[in-house]
PDB file of all heavy atoms in Angstrom:
ATOM      1  N   GLU A   1     125.361 115.275  98.773  1.00 95.00           N
ATOM      2  CA  GLU A   1     125.702 115.696  97.395  1.00 95.00           C
ATOM      3  C   GLU A   1     126.746 116.811  97.476  1.00 95.00           C
ATOM      4  O   GLU A   1     126.558 117.775  98.246  1.00 95.00           O
ATOM      5  CB  GLU A   1     124.422 116.204  96.711  1.00 95.00           C
ATOM      6  CG  GLU A   1     124.537 116.445  95.244  1.00 95.00           C
ATOM      7  CD  GLU A   1     124.360 115.201  94.403  1.00 95.00           C
ATOM      8  OE1 GLU A   1     123.603 114.266  94.786  1.00 95.00           O
ATOM      9  OE2 GLU A   1     125.029 115.136  93.353  1.00 95.00           O
ATOM     10  N   GLU A   2     127.840 116.665  96.757  1.00 94.00           N
ATOM     11  CA  GLU A   2     128.955 117.632  96.788  1.00 94.00           C
ATOM     12  C   GLU A   2     129.395 117.932  98.223  1.00 94.00           C
ATOM     13  O   GLU A   2     129.606 119.090  98.601  1.00 94.00           O
ATOM     14  CB  GLU A   2     128.532 118.922  96.073  1.00 94.00           C
ATOM     15  CG  GLU A   2     128.223 118.747  94.604  1.00 94.00           C
ATOM     16  CD  GLU A   2     127.727 120.002  93.914  1.00 94.00           C
ATOM     17  OE1 GLU A   2     127.762 121.075  94.516  1.00 94.00           O
ATOM     18  OE2 GLU A   2     127.325 119.888  92.748  1.00 94.00           O
ATOM     19  N   ASP A   3     129.489 116.890  99.038  1.00 95.00           N
ATOM     20  CA  ASP A   3     129.914 116.989 100.434  1.00 95.00           C
ATOM     21  C   ASP A   3     128.973 117.831 101.300  1.00 95.00           C
ATOM     22  O   ASP A   3     129.392 118.357 102.345  1.00 95.00           O
ATOM     23  CB  ASP A   3     131.340 117.486 100.526  1.00 95.00           C
ATOM     24  CG  ASP A   3     132.347 116.463 100.035  1.00 95.00           C
ATOM     25  OD1 ASP A   3     132.060 115.236 100.188  1.00 95.00           O
ATOM     26  OD2 ASP A   3     133.388 116.880  99.490  1.00 95.00           O
ATOM     27  N   LYS A   4     127.742 117.996 100.879  1.00 97.00           N
ATOM     28  CA  LYS A   4     126.746 118.762 101.660  1.00 97.00           C
ATOM     29  C   LYS A   4     125.521 117.875 101.815  1.00 97.00           C
ATOM     30  O   LYS A   4     125.188 117.077 100.953  1.00 97.00           O
ATOM     31  CB  LYS A   4     126.384 120.058 100.958  1.00 97.00           C
ATOM     32  CG  LYS A   4     127.572 121.028 100.883  1.00 97.00           C
ATOM     33  CD  LYS A   4     127.142 122.335 100.295  1.00 97.00           C
ATOM     34  CE  LYS A   4     128.307 123.289 100.332  1.00 97.00           C
ATOM     35  NZ  LYS A   4     129.161 123.241  99.165  1.00 97.00           N
ATOM     36  N   GLU A   5     124.846 118.074 102.946  1.00 98.00           N
ATOM     37  CA  GLU A   5     123.594 117.337 103.191  1.00 98.00           C
ATOM     38  C   GLU A   5     122.424 118.120 102.665  1.00 98.00           C
ATOM     39  O   GLU A   5     122.309 119.322 102.847  1.00 98.00           O
ATOM     40  CB  GLU A   5     123.436 117.078 104.688  1.00 98.00           C
ATOM     41  CG  GLU A   5     124.447 116.095 105.254  1.00 98.00           C
ATOM     42  CD  GLU A   5     124.212 115.834 106.710  1.00 98.00           C
ATOM     43  OE1 GLU A   5     123.712 116.708 107.439  1.00 98.00           O
ATOM     44  OE2 GLU A   5     124.535 114.710 107.132  1.00 98.00           O
ATOM     45  N   VAL A   6     121.526 117.416 101.964  1.00 98.00           N
ATOM     46  CA  VAL A   6     120.315 118.006 101.398  1.00 98.00           C
ATOM     47  C   VAL A   6     119.128 117.143 101.862  1.00 98.00           C
ATOM     48  O   VAL A   6     119.269 115.890 101.898  1.00 98.00           O
ATOM     49  CB  VAL A   6     120.394 118.006  99.834  1.00 98.00           C
ATOM     50  CG1 VAL A   6     119.056 118.409  99.225  1.00 98.00           C
ATOM     51  CG2 VAL A   6     121.515 118.920  99.374  1.00 98.00           C
ATOM     52  N   LEU A   7     118.031 117.798 102.227  1.00 98.00           N
ATOM     53  CA  LEU A   7     116.833 117.023 102.604  1.00 98.00           C
ATOM     54  C   LEU A   7     116.013 116.840 101.360  1.00 98.00           C
ATOM     55  O   LEU A   7     115.530 117.801 100.731  1.00 98.00           O
ATOM     56  CB  LEU A   7     116.038 117.809 103.662  1.00 98.00           C
ATOM     57  CG  LEU A   7     114.769 117.107 104.136  1.00 98.00           C
ATOM     58  CD1 LEU A   7     115.074 115.779 104.856  1.00 98.00           C
ATOM     59  CD2 LEU A   7     113.977 118.016 105.079  1.00 98.00           C
ATOM     60  N   LYS A   8     115.841 115.571 100.985  1.00 98.00           N
ATOM     61  CA  LYS A   8     115.000 115.215  99.829  1.00 98.00           C
ATOM     62  C   LYS A   8     113.633 114.797 100.334  1.00 98.00           C
ATOM     63  O   LYS A   8     113.515 113.860 101.152  1.00 98.00           O
ATOM     64  CB  LYS A   8     115.665 114.052  99.068  1.00 98.00           C
ATOM     65  CG  LYS A   8     114.872 113.550  97.898  1.00 98.00           C
ATOM     66  CD  LYS A   8     115.566 112.369  97.242  1.00 98.00           C
ATOM     67  CE  LYS A   8     114.806 111.843  96.066  1.00 98.00           C
ATOM     68  NZ  LYS A   8     115.467 110.653  95.472  1.00 98.00           N
ATOM     69  N   ILE A   9     112.593 115.497  99.892  1.00 98.00           N
ATOM     70  CA  ILE A   9     111.220 115.194 100.310  1.00 98.00           C
ATOM     71  C   ILE A   9     110.421 114.728  99.082  1.00 98.00           C
ATOM     72  O   ILE A   9     110.235 115.512  98.152  1.00 98.00           O
ATOM     73  CB  ILE A   9     110.535 116.406 100.953  1.00 98.00           C
ATOM     74  CG1 ILE A   9     111.363 116.924 102.118  1.00 98.00           C
ATOM     75  CG2 ILE A   9     109.122 116.043 101.404  1.00 98.00           C
ATOM     76  CD1 ILE A   9     110.900 118.254 102.689  1.00 98.00           C
ATOM     77  N   GLU A  10     110.005 113.497  99.101  1.00 98.00           N
ATOM     78  CA  GLU A  10     109.186 112.935  97.976  1.00 98.00           C
ATOM     79  C   GLU A  10     107.702 113.089  98.337  1.00 98.00           C
ATOM     80  O   GLU A  10     107.271 112.592  99.381  1.00 98.00           O
ATOM     81  CB  GLU A  10     109.563 111.488  97.763  1.00 98.00           C
ATOM     82  CG  GLU A  10     111.006 111.317  97.321  1.00 98.00           C
ATOM     83  CD  GLU A  10     111.419 109.884  97.237  1.00 98.00           C
ATOM     84  OE1 GLU A  10     111.146 109.234  96.189  1.00 98.00           O
ATOM     85  OE2 GLU A  10     112.017 109.394  98.215  1.00 98.00           O
ATOM     86  N   ILE A  11     106.970 113.770  97.462  1.00 98.00           N
ATOM     87  CA  ILE A  11     105.607 114.134  97.727  1.00 98.00           C
ATOM     88  C   ILE A  11     104.662 113.394  96.777  1.00 98.00           C
ATOM     89  O   ILE A  11     104.802 113.488  95.570  1.00 98.00           O
ATOM     90  CB  ILE A  11     105.428 115.669  97.559  1.00 98.00           C
ATOM     91  CG1 ILE A  11     106.438 116.398  98.441  1.00 98.00           C
ATOM     92  CG2 ILE A  11     104.013 116.120  97.824  1.00 98.00           C
ATOM     93  CD1 ILE A  11     107.018 117.628  97.799  1.00 98.00           C
ATOM     94  N   PRO A  12     103.725 112.649  97.302  1.00 98.00           N
ATOM     95  CA  PRO A  12     102.767 111.936  96.463  1.00 98.00           C
ATOM     96  C   PRO A  12     101.710 112.903  95.867  1.00 98.00           C
ATOM     97  O   PRO A  12     101.441 113.940  96.452  1.00 98.00           O
ATOM     98  CB  PRO A  12     102.117 110.913  97.391  1.00 98.00           C
ATOM     99  CG  PRO A  12     102.111 111.642  98.737  1.00 98.00           C
ATOM    100  CD  PRO A  12     103.386 112.435  98.753  1.00 98.00           C
ATOM    101  N   ILE A  13     101.088 112.476  94.805  1.00 97.00           N
ATOM    102  CA  ILE A  13      99.933 113.233  94.318  1.00 97.00           C
ATOM    103  C   ILE A  13      98.742 112.841  95.177  1.00 97.00           C
ATOM    104  O   ILE A  13      98.587 111.695  95.555  1.00 97.00           O
ATOM    105  CB  ILE A  13      99.658 112.953  92.830  1.00 97.00           C
ATOM    106  CG1 ILE A  13      98.549 113.881  92.291  1.00 97.00           C
ATOM    107  CG2 ILE A  13      99.335 111.515  92.573  1.00 97.00           C
ATOM    108  CD1 ILE A  13      98.392 113.809  90.781  1.00 97.00           C
ATOM    109  N   SER A  14      97.929 113.812  95.529  1.00 96.00           N
ATOM    110  CA  SER A  14      96.800 113.546  96.407  1.00 96.00           C
ATOM    111  C   SER A  14      95.567 113.156  95.591  1.00 96.00           C
ATOM    112  O   SER A  14      95.337 113.681  94.489  1.00 96.00           O
ATOM    113  CB  SER A  14      96.447 114.815  97.240  1.00 96.00           C
ATOM    114  OG  SER A  14      95.345 114.568  98.023  1.00 96.00           O
ATOM    115  N   ARG A  15      94.780 112.283  96.161  1.00 93.00           N
ATOM    116  CA  ARG A  15      93.498 111.878  95.520  1.00 93.00           C
ATOM    117  C   ARG A  15      92.402 112.822  95.858  1.00 93.00           C
ATOM    118  O   ARG A  15      91.349 112.841  95.251  1.00 93.00           O
ATOM    119  CB  ARG A  15      93.128 110.473  95.967  1.00 93.00           C
ATOM    120  CG  ARG A  15      94.098 109.450  95.442  1.00 93.00           C
ATOM    121  CD  ARG A  15      93.703 108.080  95.887  1.00 93.00           C
ATOM    122  NE  ARG A  15      94.707 107.110  95.419  1.00 93.00           N
ATOM    123  CZ  ARG A  15      94.532 105.836  95.450  1.00 93.00           C
ATOM    124  NH1 ARG A  15      93.434 105.327  95.924  1.00 93.00           N
ATOM    125  NH2 ARG A  15      95.487 105.045  95.033  1.00 93.00           N
ATOM    126  N   THR A  16      92.582 113.652  96.929  1.00 94.00           N
ATOM    127  CA  THR A  16      91.594 114.637  97.317  1.00 94.00           C
ATOM    128  C   THR A  16      92.331 115.981  97.440  1.00 94.00           C
ATOM    129  O   THR A  16      93.559 116.030  97.465  1.00 94.00           O
ATOM    130  CB  THR A  16      90.971 114.307  98.664  1.00 94.00           C
ATOM    131  OG1 THR A  16      91.992 114.292  99.679  1.00 94.00           O
ATOM    132  CG2 THR A  16      90.261 112.956  98.658  1.00 94.00           C
ATOM    133  N   VAL A  17      91.587 117.049  97.575  1.00 95.00           N
ATOM    134  CA  VAL A  17      92.188 118.355  97.771  1.00 95.00           C
ATOM    135  C   VAL A  17      92.747 118.438  99.192  1.00 95.00           C
ATOM    136  O   VAL A  17      92.063 118.089 100.152  1.00 95.00           O
ATOM    137  CB  VAL A  17      91.151 119.492  97.549  1.00 95.00           C
ATOM    138  CG1 VAL A  17      91.763 120.857  97.861  1.00 95.00           C
ATOM    139  CG2 VAL A  17      90.663 119.456  96.102  1.00 95.00           C
ATOM    140  N   VAL A  18      93.979 118.868  99.289  1.00 96.00           N
ATOM    141  CA  VAL A  18      94.642 118.991 100.598  1.00 96.00           C
ATOM    142  C   VAL A  18      94.828 120.474 100.883  1.00 96.00           C
ATOM    143  O   VAL A  18      95.033 121.288 100.020  1.00 96.00           O
ATOM    144  CB  VAL A  18      96.053 118.318 100.528  1.00 96.00           C
ATOM    145  CG1 VAL A  18      96.831 118.566 101.790  1.00 96.00           C
ATOM    146  CG2 VAL A  18      95.903 116.835 100.254  1.00 96.00           C
ATOM    147  N   SER A  19      94.732 120.810 102.192  1.00 95.00           N
ATOM    148  CA  SER A  19      94.956 122.164 102.615  1.00 95.00           C
ATOM    149  C   SER A  19      95.992 122.186 103.743  1.00 95.00           C
ATOM    150  O   SER A  19      96.298 121.122 104.322  1.00 95.00           O
ATOM    151  CB  SER A  19      93.673 122.819 103.103  1.00 95.00           C
ATOM    152  OG  SER A  19      93.251 122.309 104.334  1.00 95.00           O
ATOM    153  N   THR A  20      96.500 123.345 104.048  1.00 95.00           N
ATOM    154  CA  THR A  20      97.326 123.479 105.266  1.00 95.00           C
ATOM    155  C   THR A  20      96.393 123.429 106.439  1.00 95.00           C
ATOM    156  O   THR A  20      95.162 123.594 106.308  1.00 95.00           O
ATOM    157  CB  THR A  20      98.095 124.805 105.259  1.00 95.00           C
ATOM    158  OG1 THR A  20      97.160 125.873 105.342  1.00 95.00           O
ATOM    159  CG2 THR A  20      98.967 124.970 104.043  1.00 95.00           C
ATOM    160  N   SER A  21      96.941 123.241 107.624  1.00 93.00           N
ATOM    161  CA  SER A  21      96.060 123.218 108.824  1.00 93.00           C
ATOM    162  C   SER A  21      95.393 124.562 109.044  1.00 93.00           C
ATOM    163  O   SER A  21      94.376 124.633 109.736  1.00 93.00           O
ATOM    164  CB  SER A  21      96.852 122.759 110.040  1.00 93.00           C
ATOM    165  OG  SER A  21      97.950 123.625 110.266  1.00 93.00           O
ATOM    166  N   SER A  22      95.929 125.625 108.458  1.00 92.00           N
ATOM    167  CA  SER A  22      95.315 126.938 108.589  1.00 92.00           C
ATOM    168  C   SER A  22      94.229 127.164 107.484  1.00 92.00           C
ATOM    169  O   SER A  22      93.616 128.236 107.435  1.00 92.00           O
ATOM    170  CB  SER A  22      96.347 128.049 108.532  1.00 92.00           C
ATOM    171  OG  SER A  22      96.994 128.069 107.281  1.00 92.00           O
ATOM    172  N   GLY A  23      94.060 126.223 106.566  1.00 92.00           N
ATOM    173  CA  GLY A  23      92.986 126.274 105.612  1.00 92.00           C
ATOM    174  C   GLY A  23      93.404 126.735 104.194  1.00 92.00           C
ATOM    175  O   GLY A  23      92.568 126.911 103.344  1.00 92.00           O
ATOM    176  N   LYS A  24      94.689 126.940 103.944  1.00 92.00           N
ATOM    177  CA  LYS A  24      95.130 127.340 102.605  1.00 92.00           C
ATOM    178  C   LYS A  24      95.120 126.162 101.650  1.00 92.00           C
ATOM    179  O   LYS A  24      95.723 125.145 101.919  1.00 92.00           O
ATOM    180  CB  LYS A  24      96.519 127.921 102.637  1.00 92.00           C
ATOM    181  CG  LYS A  24      96.600 129.265 103.296  1.00 92.00           C
ATOM    182  CD  LYS A  24      97.994 129.825 103.176  1.00 92.00           C
ATOM    183  CE  LYS A  24      98.083 131.190 103.818  1.00 92.00           C
ATOM    184  NZ  LYS A  24      99.449 131.714 103.738  1.00 92.00           N
ATOM    185  N   MET A  25      94.424 126.328 100.529  1.00 93.00           N
ATOM    186  CA  MET A  25      94.409 125.300  99.463  1.00 93.00           C
ATOM    187  C   MET A  25      95.265 125.871  98.315  1.00 93.00           C
ATOM    188  O   MET A  25      94.926 126.906  97.755  1.00 93.00           O
ATOM    189  CB  MET A  25      92.996 125.033  99.001  1.00 93.00           C
ATOM    190  CG  MET A  25      92.199 124.268 100.021  1.00 93.00           C
ATOM    191  SD  MET A  25      90.550 123.971  99.427  1.00 93.00           S
ATOM    192  CE  MET A  25      89.610 124.663 100.749  1.00 93.00           C
ATOM    193  N   LEU A  26      96.358 125.183  98.006  1.00 94.00           N
ATOM    194  CA  LEU A  26      97.309 125.711  97.032  1.00 94.00           C
ATOM    195  C   LEU A  26      97.569 124.649  95.955  1.00 94.00           C
ATOM    196  O   LEU A  26      97.346 123.476  96.180  1.00 94.00           O
ATOM    197  CB  LEU A  26      98.622 126.053  97.734  1.00 94.00           C
ATOM    198  CG  LEU A  26      98.468 127.003  98.911  1.00 94.00           C
ATOM    199  CD1 LEU A  26      99.635 126.905  99.876  1.00 94.00           C
ATOM    200  CD2 LEU A  26      98.313 128.439  98.416  1.00 94.00           C
ATOM    201  N   ARG A  27      98.113 125.126  94.828  1.00 94.00           N
ATOM    202  CA  ARG A  27      98.562 124.223  93.784  1.00 94.00           C
ATOM    203  C   ARG A  27      99.765 124.894  93.060  1.00 94.00           C
ATOM    204  O   ARG A  27     100.057 126.047  93.330  1.00 94.00           O
ATOM    205  CB  ARG A  27      97.465 123.949  92.753  1.00 94.00           C
ATOM    206  CG  ARG A  27      96.996 125.147  91.961  1.00 94.00           C
ATOM    207  CD  ARG A  27      95.914 124.793  90.971  1.00 94.00           C
ATOM    208  NE  ARG A  27      95.388 125.938  90.321  1.00 94.00           N
ATOM    209  CZ  ARG A  27      95.886 126.444  89.174  1.00 94.00           C
ATOM    210  NH1 ARG A  27      96.895 125.873  88.579  1.00 94.00           N
ATOM    211  NH2 ARG A  27      95.354 127.501  88.644  1.00 94.00           N
TER     212      ARG A  27
END
């Protein structure tokens, strides 16, 4: 985009609560 590279990350909605591997549950 505009001669620059951008990383596009598409994130699904989770059916269960997800945490980081360190245990943080965020929203």
